[in-house]
Amino acid sequence: MTLPDARIALKKFFGYDNFRPGQADIVQNTYDGKDTLVLMPTGGGKSICFQIPAITLDGICIVVSPLISLMKDQVEALRGNGIPAAFYNSSLSRADEQQVLQDLDNQKLKLLYVSPERLLTRSFYDIMQQMNISLFAIDEAHCISSWGHDFRPEYAKMKFLKNSFPKVPIMALTATADKLTRKDIVNQMGLRNPEIFVSSFDRPNLSIEVRPGQKRLQQIVNFVKNRPNQSGIVYCLSRKNTEAVASKLRASGIKATHYHAGLSPNMRSEVQEDFINDRVPIVCATVAFGMGIDKSNVRWVIHYNLPKNIESYYQEIGRAGRDGAKADTMLFWSYGDVKILRDILTDPQNASDQTELKLTKLERMRHFAEAMQCRRKILLGYFSETMATDNCGNCDVCKNPPQRVDGTLIAQKALSAIARTQEQVGINILIGILRGSNQREIFEKGYNKIKTYGAGRELSLFDWQNYIMQLLNAGLMEIAYDEGSALKLTATAKSILFDGKKIDLVKPAVIETRKAAAKKAVVAKPKRERVRDELFETLRTLRLQLARVRGVPPYIVFSDKTLEEMAAKRPATDAMMNEISGVGERKMHLYGEQFKNAIIEFLLKKEAAGEKVQGSTHILSYALYKDGKTIEEIATQRDLKNTTVSGHLAKTYEQGEDFDISMFISEEEIDMVLGMLHLMDAPYKMLDVFKYFEEEMSYEKIRFALAHYYREATVE
Ligand code: ADP
Ligand code: ZN
């Protein structure tokens, strides 16, 4: 097998024109019969790396995967593309199991997904001896490492694969990139001189935003209302919050549900199925949700609370936008969250030799949330990757760079209030004092009598919270978690209070101005980049209907990314439809016609309403012609000249659409025109040809002859 074969299969089965960086080399390595280790982020395109060899090589590829729900999904997606695949695990009924065994016997399958438990059974070993195995693909290969978070004892027993099938190449794949895990995989699988491919962990299609956690519920409602019909996940720390957020959303007329480990297994799988099938677009969940989900059209992920470390955070936001289309992520954070997480970690009941490490990781997470530099740069840096620029253009800091102001007076007010209350107050009371609030505790303790009471009235609660956060970060004060979170002054604080030291602070970006900035950014983008218009919605609805009929999740029919491209390019002919990324042969056959017709109908409706259908006008004429209308009828319906309409048809023909043109021009006439073209200079002008034939050949015929000529020229 060679790469050109691989490329043909990529187009035919998946409808993709090109491999993503790394994929082709990985495929080639397998063709060379070598072992491979693939490190790619979630959504990076790992599956293609073993699926293409599986399809193109003789025999069958065995895919080991620990997540049963994910297997079903992947097999469904493969079958949707016309690739014979099956899974073999404990969830199969007797009858289905027999069917799989029979298909194996008849060598009907190109891929078989098995759970590690099944792989290790004697009976499966015997079956494998009978098979012609092209490749072993070990998905989620990090499960082999006992250091990692997903350790699976069965994975540690898989060395027998290399020993028993020394000639079959192995490809191990994971989204966990650390060096220790890498080494474990290579050693424990017994990989021989493996080629290791590490792709970038950047996910440029994900926008990253961090916001202070105030009025979260209201902010979430607004966020969701700005994204109608989009699917998303809200991650919460507590079960109670998942329920609270879901009911708040429902109260605002938004369809949402909740998910946590306290639900019955039945309820949990129901929520999961509803989400996958777009019946319930939004799930508010604890982090257990999403692990075994391959849903590619999750359009946003919100963190209601700060995650416990950057690894988890990156994995969770990674569940958005797996199809490569734009997706949004938003993280809320507050000191309260840090405190709760810290309390959990330092609770003696949870004490372990990992506690220190976990606290350090939490600190890194907090630094990320507070950071004033490009968030993507920090994330990639955390995973030991350097970003070429300082500005990713797709995080809140890059979109809305922080403005610095002289914050000395602000700092002095806050620090002095802390000093005057003998360092006994926490953040809330401190702000209450500064803003002159009449909270009961302030009066009880007599804080209303100190000099700084009401000294910061001019600033909002929001601003004060933000500034105090910055003062904490600048090391001017500390939170004494063991004294009810009272604020304490540091040595640096004293130099600001007494020695006239100055400090710069960042002006809190008001959420409204953030919104305005975001809006500006959207307008400034090229118009076609993010097409979520009326046509997109029409196509989305059609997708949902077709998915229901076939009993598969909508993203199995077409991904959001594919629909976006259709909405942008409006493919109203078969040739155009074939060019859309994600439309392979099988999907063209199953759905091409219906999506094409929906687009034609949409364009006609637009035109009837007086809108110009730019770029598609010739295709519309063609669509009507195919529908059985004559040139004259089309011209009347669309208020065009007859020659314009036949020109449209010629242009469509030229672009590769197949239809009989003999009623416009005979073969002899085509030959006559083509025969004289070498006497002229390209580009050929209709008028020149017209004159050459001494006005005996009509413009319409010449137009068609030239269309024929250019059509053939591009085919070559
Ligand atoms: P992973 O397993 O690494 O999380 P997937 O294999 O599910 O990622 O791929 C993520 C998405 O990217 C899928 O929708 C997949 O079809 C798409 N994809 C993969 N390779 C390509 C490619 N070469 N061109 C276009 N889309 C691709
Ligand atoms: Zn950035």
Side-chain angles (χ1 to χ4, degrees):
M1 275 302 138
T2 59
L3 277 183
D5 302 317
R7 217 170 279 282
I8 290 169
L10 185 70
K11 179 73 188 165
K12 174 175 154 106
F13 289 100
F14 297 94
Y16 300 144
D17 289 322
N18 293 299
F19 282 113
R20 289 197 184 146
Q23 286 177 332
D25 292 337
I26 294 165
V27 170
Q28 182 64 57
N29 207 51
T30 302
Y31 284 167
D32 294 343
K34 294 196 215 144
D35 292 342
T36 322
L37 175 57
V38 177
L39 303 137
M40 260 187 204
T42 308
K46 285 187 284 300
S47 317
I48 293 284
C49 298
F50 60 83
Q51 287 169 349
I52 288 291
I55 298 165
T56 49
L57 289 171
D58 267 347
I60 183 170
C61 167
I62 306 282
V63 187
V64 184
S65 165
L67 298 162
I68 289 183
S69 57
L70 226 131
M71 274 187 215
K72 185 167 158 261
D73 237 45
Q74 288 232 342
V75 166
E76 224 158 53
L78 285 166
R79 288 187 180 158
N81 281 323
I83 301 159
F87 60 87
Y88 191 62
N89 61 38
S90 55
S91 76
L92 282 182
S93 69
R94 253 286 134 78
D96 286 343
E97 204 173 300
Q98 285 309 318
Q99 183 63 50
V100 172
L101 292 176
Q102 200 180 330
D103 287 347
L104 283 175
D105 229 22
N106 298 330
Q107 305 190 355
K108 274 197 187 154
L109 301 173
K110 293 309 286 179
L111 293 107
L112 181 71
Y113 285 71
V114 288
S115 59
E117 291 81 5
R118 272 291 156 100
L119 182 80
L120 292 171
T121 59
R122 178 77 217 180
S123 62
F124 192 71
Y125 183 81
D126 293 340
I127 297 172
M128 281 200 294
Q129 293 290 348
Q130 306 301 316
M131 293 196 245
N132 173 18
I133 301 173
S134 57
L135 169 70
F136 287 111
I138 316 297
D139 212 358
E140 316 286 343
H142 58 278
C143 293
I144 214 167
S145 173
S146 53
W147 299 103
H149 42 85
D150 286 337
F151 176 57
R152 301 259 174 165
E154 299 83 16
Y155 262 63
K157 296 182 191 150
M158 286 201 294
K159 205 170 200 162
F160 81 96
L161 285 178
K162 196 82 235 177
N163 296 330
S164 308
F165 303 91
K167 291 217 181 82
V168 180
I170 295 180
M171 184 187 297
L173 309 103
T174 175
T176 305
D178 69 84
K179 295 220 167 79
L180 200 59
T181 312
R182 236 185 262 186
K183 227 167 81 187
D184 267 357
I185 296 172
V186 172
N187 290 338
Q188 302 213 35
M189 288 297 311
L191 302 186
R192 298 204 185 131
N193 295 327
E195 200 78 48
I196 300 180
F197 294 92
V198 187
S199 72
S200 167
F201 273 64
D202 189 14
R203 298 279 309 280
N205 63 317
L206 297 186
S207 77
I208 303 171
E209 179 167 8
V210 181
R211 287 188 191 176
Q214 289 137 359
K215 301 206 177 110
R216 299 176 207 210
L217 284 174
Q218 194 49 51
Q219 291 200 56
I220 292 174
V221 170
N222 294 343
F223 179 96
V224 172
K225 284 200 165 154
N226 280 329
R227 290 166 180 73
N229 301 320
Q230 292 190 18
S231 199
I233 307 174
V234 184
Y235 282 116
C236 308
L237 200 55
S238 72
R239 296 177 183 184
K240 213 179 75 203
N241 275 343
T242 65
E243 293 173 19
V245 178
S247 74
K248 170 82 182 181
L249 286 172
R250 284 195 299 270
S252 313
I254 297 160
K255 212 167 169 186
T257 188
H258 66 270
Y259 178 105
H260 54 65
L263 302 180
S264 70
N266 275 347
M267 279 289 284
R268 270 182 285 164
S269 62
E270 193 180 313
V271 171
Q272 195 158 314
E273 286 296 309
D274 282 348
F275 184 61
I276 287 174
N277 288 294
D278 286 355
R279 288 191 289 266
V280 176
I282 297 170
V283 177
C284 308
T286 51
V287 293
F289 184 74
M291 210 81 87
I293 294 186
D294 222 355
K295 182 176 161 77
S296 75
N297 63 333
V298 177
R299 291 268 67 85
W300 52 262
V301 165
I302 293 178
H303 279 88
Y304 188 85
N305 304 98
L306 194 75
K308 58 184 190 300
N309 56 48
I310 289 184
E311 285 92 342
S312 310
Y313 169 68
Y314 204 59
Q315 189 177 34
E316 284 145 24
I317 62 172
R319 290 176 186 147
R322 293 180 67 150
D323 49 18
K326 296 229 165 255
D328 298 316
T329 77
M330 186 161 77
L331 163 67
F332 288 112
W333 90 285
S334 72
Y335 268 99
D337 290 343
V338 179
K339 180 168 161 28
I340 292 170
L341 288 168
R342 199 190 300 263
D343 286 349
I344 296 172
L345 288 177
T346 51
D347 184 338
Q349 278 195 330
N350 300 328
S352 81
D353 50 2
Q354 299 238 309
T355 304
E356 262 320 296
L357 179 67
K358 287 180 176 165
L359 282 169
T360 314
K361 289 194 165 190
L362 176 59
E363 264 314 277
R364 293 287 297 267
M365 187 68 225
R366 184 173 71 92
H367 282 301
F368 166 79
E370 291 165 350
M372 296 293 174
Q373 59 181 134
C374 174
R375 309 228 185 245
R376 197 173 306 273
K377 198 174 174 84
I378 301 176
L379 287 175
L380 292 178
Y382 185 83
F383 297 112
S384 320
E385 203 178 308
T386 36
M387 207 168 83
T389 77
D390 283 336
N391 185 328
C392 76
N394 200 16
C395 76
D396 56 324
V397 177
C398 292
K399 280 181 191 159
N400 198 15
Q403 275 180 2
R404 298 195 167 269
V405 291
D406 181 354
T408 312
L409 193 60
I410 292 168
Q412 282 169 348
K413 284 178 185 172
L415 299 176
S416 136
I418 293 173
R420 285 170 201 276
T421 53
Q422 270 71 46
E423 305 186 329
Q424 293 300 307
V425 299
I427 292 177
N428 283 338
I429 294 293
L430 174 65
I431 294 175
I433 293 169
L434 290 164
R435 300 192 67 228
S437 124
N438 45 21
Q439 277 158 280
R440 162 109 66 72
E441 192 180 337
I442 291 179
F443 281 79
E444 273 172 11
K445 302 230 164 104
Y447 294 150
N448 56 325
K449 303 217 178 73
I450 64 176
K451 207 174 144 211
T452 31
Y453 180 76
R457 275 206 178 88
E458 74 283 5
L459 294 180
S460 71
L461 172 69
F462 174 87
D463 286 353
W464 269 119
Q465 283 171 330
N466 194 300
Y467 281 131
I468 287 171
M469 197 166 88
Q470 295 185 49
L471 296 176
L472 275 159
N473 293 336
L476 299 184
M477 49 173 93
E478 284 166 359
I479 300 180
Y481 289 104
D482 51 350
E483 287 182 41
S485 298
L487 294 166
K488 307 283 171 187
L489 299 178
T490 63
T492 332
K494 293 180 183 136
S495 67
I496 290 200
L497 272 177
F498 309 117
D499 305 338
K501 192 172 175 252
K502 290 196 168 299
I503 179 170
D504 274 355
L505 292 173
V506 171
K507 217 170 153 182
V510 184
I511 288 163
E512 293 319 309
T513 57
R514 274 174 188 255
K515 245 198 262 161
K519 241 187 217 140
K520 239 189 339 206
V522 169
V523 172
K525 272 186 210 146
K527 213 176 120 215
R528 285 290 179 201
E529 195 184 320
R530 189 171 199 170
V531 182
R532 299 228 150 219
D533 57 4
E534 201 185 329
L535 178 55
F536 179 87
E537 287 307 321
T538 310
L539 300 177
R540 209 177 60 83
T541 310
L542 174 61
R543 174 178 73 174
L544 192 65
Q545 286 164 0
L546 293 173
R548 293 267 190 280
V549 171
R550 296 191 70 84
V552 295
Y555 62 88
I556 295 280
V557 173
F558 281 130
S559 74
D560 276 14
K561 179 124 180 154
T562 298
L563 290 198
E564 282 184 3
E565 197 178 325
M566 284 188 198
K569 297 190 177 153
R570 304 175 165 185
T573 69
D574 290 345
M576 288 172 82
M577 191 57 94
N578 265 320
E579 290 298 308
I580 302 289
S581 175
V583 183
E585 274 182 14
R586 169 100 176 152
K587 289 191 176 167
M588 183 67 196
H589 175 71
L590 287 177
Y591 316 117
E593 189 73 16
Q594 290 166 84
F595 279 85
K596 189 182 76 179
N597 287 340
I599 289 164
I600 292 170
E601 202 178 305
F602 173 85
L603 292 175
L604 283 174
K605 208 174 73 194
K606 285 282 141 196
E607 193 175 54
E611 272 180 49
K612 258 197 146 58
V613 287
Q614 265 161 5
S616 312
T617 178
H618 63 292
I619 293 167
L620 255 188
S621 294
Y622 173 69
L624 294 171
Y625 179 73
K626 285 280 272 191
D627 208 29
K629 296 215 160 69
T630 64
I631 303 279
E632 289 72 26
E633 285 166 342
I634 300 169
T636 314
Q637 173 176 359
R638 298 192 61 202
D639 197 16
L640 299 169
K641 287 200 203 117
N642 287 359
T643 49
T644 308
V645 173
S646 68
H648 283 167
L649 296 189
K651 184 169 173 187
T652 318
Y653 186 74
E654 181 177 321
Q655 290 179 344
E657 203 61 38
D658 266 321
F659 62 99
D660 183 11
I661 57 168
S662 61
M663 60 174 301
F664 300 104
I665 184 170
S666 70
E667 293 207 14
E668 294 78 43
E669 287 165 330
I670 291 179
D671 285 344
M672 278 165 67
V673 176
L674 298 192
M676 51 61 60
L677 282 186
H678 68 276
L679 302 174
M680 306 181 165
D681 294 327
Y684 306 113
K685 293 206 185 64
M686 299 244 279
L687 182 63
D688 293 344
V689 183
F690 190 61
K691 280 189 191 145
Y692 178 90
F693 286 105
E694 298 176 338
E695 308 183 5
E696 288 296 307
M697 179 92 74
S698 75
Y699 266 110
E700 186 178 72
K701 285 181 195 289
I702 296 169
R703 179 72 189 86
F704 270 98
L706 287 177
H708 184 85
Y709 172 80
Y710 285 117
R711 174 190 168 98
E712 301 294 309
T714 49
V715 164
E716 271 161 25

